[in-house]
Amino acid sequence: MKFKVLSMLFCSLVILAKAEDNDSIQDWGLQFTVNPAIVPKMDKEIKEILINKNVVTVGAQFRKVSLPYQQDVYARDFGFPTFVYGINYNFYNNIKFHRDENAHLGLGEPVDYYSTLGNSVSAYASFERPFVRKKHWEFDYAFNMGMGYSHIKYNPKNQVDNLMIGGHLLIYFGAGLHATYRFLKDWGVKAGVDFNHHSTGTLGRPNKGSNAIGPMFALVYYPYYDKLLQTDEFMADRTFNKSKYLNFSVNVGLNTLYEDWVHTQFDTSPDSPDYRTNDFKYYTVYTLQADYMYRYARRWASGIGLDLYYLSYMNHIKNMDESKGYNDKHSPVSVGISAKHETFYHNLSLATSLGYYIFRQQGHKGKQVEMPFYETVGLKYHFDRLNGMTVGAFVRAHAFKADHTGISVSYPIQLK
């Protein structure tokens, strides 16, 4: 079935490609990719249990560009990037895990079978920006965001050592660096390096996530390429009014707790109904943010912000720590300062930040596994009729391990 779906999609793209004389699709192309990769051993626990690391991803993609004559100022500022809309099938079933009797299991018991990562499918959009574009060569970098579905996930019956994926529904991020050689007028071959990440975003446990990195190869059909070389004819207004503004945000996130996962895996006896459960309670995280931003280009704004977090689960962690004899400090409030950067393309923007906690007391496990730094990435939509108010979705992480996933609403106030 999986091969039929990809074959039908690719055939439909070929049919569209043959209609290149149709003006309505002159800015569309297609691509077919193969990505042999490895799953790196990201931490000590994965190093102990990972049996194999070789995977393969195949995919088919539509490509869409804004051509110079279409007078798109955002496209011009980014060097006429390509938006890629694709679907990937990830052959991850070869990845197996097993914890033997020498592994640190606490009250847990080793099992006599191998757990499997399982195949998955990803649907995504990619922003592919060229930094060199010549008659025969193009070099680009790309960022991908989307959703995925994994056929197999952790469960205590027959997948107890699958510590990477704890839910069927996944969040997908990717990045790549590529070179394309144009060997015919409308065709090119592409090669590069891609990184792909799938995880539950803490909406399921375990949540180590699966990472894959390796070479990618693609066949590209882009009948619009000659038009992209005619940028000198694009004479649109290049002026932009720089601005400074305050940005206020309210965020609500959900997560499951690492503390609950550790407790049920290692500190719960096999005769307990919670032993190695895959049913975890969701908790909320509320955030207020105040940022000072400077939009110095049409496509970019940077600034600094104050982040105030309220963690609804802190009493639960405190009770768990006290039951085990820990006397660490607990507070439902965390405060951080962060450097922020936002990239704009019409009404969409990608918001990223790197922060440092100036106050955080999250108990015993928090001190052990959390660093004082945190990262956030989110996608926003800006409503012009509401004075630039935005609605978006985001993931916040510690050392690139998700802490919570949520939605955000923000409102900018322009400064003179």
Side-chain angles (χ1 to χ4, degrees):
M1 181 64 183
K2 55 201 175 189
F3 294 107
K4 291 182 179 179
V5 172
L6 289 173
S7 298
M8 291 173 64
L9 179 59
F10 186 64
C11 289
S12 67
L13 299 181
V14 172
I15 293 172
L16 284 174
K18 292 182 179 180
E20 70 176 274
D21 292 334
N22 188 336
D23 288 339
S24 65
I25 64 169
Q26 282 190 354
D27 54 358
W28 285 87
L30 59 92
Q31 183 173 290
F32 184 76
T33 59
V34 178
N35 178 207
I38 63 169
V39 174
K41 299 178 179 180
M42 299 294 288
D43 61 32
K44 181 179 179 181
E45 193 170 20
I46 293 298
K47 289 180 181 179
E48 293 176 348
I49 68 173
L50 185 63
I51 305 301
N52 189 33
K53 60 181 181 179
N54 297 308
V55 297
V56 175
T57 292
V58 298
Q61 300 88 22
F62 284 104
R63 299 172 58 84
K64 175 72 166 64
V65 296
S66 290
L67 298 172
Y69 71 85
Q70 294 172 329
Q71 305 288 299
D72 186 329
V73 292
Y74 280 92
R76 182 208 62 214
D77 287 357
F78 279 102
F80 300 97
T82 303
F83 287 88
V84 180
Y85 307 96
I87 183 169
N88 287 344
Y89 194 88
N90 310 295
F91 293 91
Y92 288 0
N93 209 50
N94 194 41
I95 301 298
K96 300 186 185 303
F97 314 93
H98 183 67
R99 290 183 289 191
D100 58 28
E101 61 276 3
N102 295 320
H104 172 69
L105 292 173
L107 297 178
E109 297 178 346
V111 296
D112 59 358
Y113 61 82
Y114 290 90
S115 299
T116 304
L117 182 57
N119 296 339
S120 61
V121 62
S122 311
Y124 64 95
S126 175
F127 184 79
E128 183 181 288
R129 186 187 182 190
F131 54 89
V132 174
R133 181 178 279 148
K134 301 296 183 180
K135 183 177 181 179
H136 290 288
W137 284 98
E138 184 179 50
F139 296 86
D140 70 80
Y141 61 84
F143 295 100
N144 313 333
M145 294 183 68
M147 302 294 293
Y149 181 86
S150 178
H151 173 63
I152 293 175
K153 69 180 183 69
Y154 167 89
N155 72 72
K157 295 182 179 179
N158 54 26
Q159 292 291 334
V160 75
D161 291 332
N162 178 0
L163 303 185
M164 288 187 173
I165 298 299
H168 289 301
L169 189 62
L170 306 174
I171 295 171
Y172 165 65
F173 292 101
L177 184 65
H178 316 117
T180 305
Y181 175 71
R182 185 185 182 203
F183 66 94
L184 290 175
K185 178 177 180 294
D186 297 335
W187 294 87
V189 288
K190 178 186 288 189
V193 177
D194 276 0
F195 170 81
N196 297 299
H197 170 81
H198 295 84
S199 76
T200 64
T202 72
L203 298 180
R205 292 285 174 179
N207 186 52
K208 287 184 178 295
S210 65
N211 301 292
I213 186 169
M216 68 83 69
F217 307 96
L219 178 66
V220 182
Y221 175 77
Y222 46 6
Y224 48 77
Y225 194 80
D226 277 335
K227 297 181 176 64
L228 290 175
L229 300 176
Q230 300 169 5
T231 56
D232 291 341
E233 300 177 11
F234 186 58
M235 302 300 292
D237 183 12
R238 294 178 177 268
T239 62
F240 174 77
N241 294 322
K242 301 176 182 180
S243 64
K244 298 176 182 179
Y245 59 96
L246 300 177
N247 194 58
F248 298 96
S249 302
V250 178
N251 305 341
V252 179
L254 288 177
N255 67 359
T256 55
L257 297 183
Y258 174 75
E259 287 83 354
D260 284 345
W261 161 256
V262 171
H263 178 74
T264 59
Q265 282 284 303
F266 308 115
D267 301 332
T268 302
S269 63
D271 57 356
S272 169
D274 291 331
Y275 175 69
R276 286 180 169 173
T277 182
N278 59 345
D279 183 17
F280 295 97
K281 182 178 179 179
Y282 292 103
Y283 294 91
T284 51
V285 179
Y286 304 96
T287 311
L288 296 177
Q289 295 176 304
D291 309 325
Y292 175 79
M293 302 293 292
Y294 177 41
R295 189 164 179 178
Y296 50 91
R298 181 179 284 107
R299 60 192 184 276
W300 288 324
S302 299
I304 188 169
L306 180 68
D307 306 324
L308 178 65
Y309 299 97
Y310 180 80
L311 315 176
S312 66
Y313 48 81
M314 195 49 60
N315 281 337
H316 172 63
I317 292 180
K318 182 179 180 180
N319 292 334
M320 291 181 64
D321 283 354
E322 289 178 350
S323 69
K324 297 174 183 177
Y326 301 131
N327 296 314
D328 301 274
K329 294 181 179 180
H330 303 78
S331 174
V333 175
S334 295
V335 182
I337 55 174
S338 56
K340 306 201 172 185
H341 183 75
E342 194 161 355
T343 303
F344 300 86
Y345 198 93
H346 293 285
N347 291 85
L348 289 174
S349 68
L350 180 69
T352 58
S353 68
L354 176 62
Y356 180 84
Y357 291 116
I358 56 178
F359 177 80
R360 187 169 175 86
Q361 296 177 345
Q362 201 170 350
H364 185 72
K365 289 296 182 184
K367 289 200 309 183
Q368 286 187 326
V369 302
E370 287 187 5
M371 298 179 65
F373 298 97
Y374 58 94
E375 315 88 45
T376 305
V377 58
L379 188 65
K380 298 181 178 181
Y381 184 84
H382 299 250
F383 295 90
D384 293 333
R385 295 183 179 181
L386 299 176
N387 296 321
M389 187 188 81
T390 71
V391 175
F394 69 93
V395 176
R396 188 167 71 92
H398 296 133
F400 303 104
K401 293 183 179 180
D403 179 78
H404 64 269
T405 301
I407 58 175
S408 67
V409 177
S410 63
Y411 191 85
I413 298 177
Q414 296 294 328
L415 301 175
K416 293 183 180 181

